[in-house]
Amino acid sequence: MDDFKLRSGNDFADAVLEKRLTNSPEFWALVDFLAENGVLDREKFKEFLLRRLEEYVDLVTQVHVEQAD
């Protein structure tokens, strides 16, 4: 998990999501297990996860801005 650093441009959202991921040891155990057994390419997964999390932050930010208008 230490190598997953979100940089979406929204520091608060990045911190919240990184904290949630840090508090999910069973998720990281599964990622480790799949990577060790050759089922998961850890680097490709990291890129995929970071892309999805950044998309999520963008969506939430857009909805929040629209609601404020």
Side-chain angles (χ1 to χ4, degrees):
M1 169 56 208
D2 294 334
D3 57 343
F4 287 87
K5 294 296 177 196
L6 201 55
R7 290 182 181 84
S8 69
N10 183 325
D11 294 337
F12 177 74
D14 293 350
V16 168
L17 289 171
E18 287 177 10
K19 178 143 180 85
R20 284 182 60 194
L21 289 171
T22 301
N23 291 326
S24 302
E26 63 282 352
F27 173 77
W28 294 108
L30 177 60
V31 169
D32 290 341
F33 175 79
L34 294 173
E36 288 173 13
N37 286 288
V39 177
L40 177 74
D41 180 320
R42 195 172 178 82
E43 282 304 309
K44 284 184 179 179
F45 175 72
K46 175 184 169 185
E47 291 170 11
F48 175 82
L49 179 61
L50 289 174
R51 190 171 56 247
R52 290 299 176 123
L53 290 174
E54 288 173 355
E55 289 171 1
Y56 173 75
V57 169
D58 290 344
L59 177 65
V60 170
T61 301
Q62 181 181 1
V63 168
H64 180 71
V65 168
E66 289 174 0
Q67 288 178 347
D69 289 340

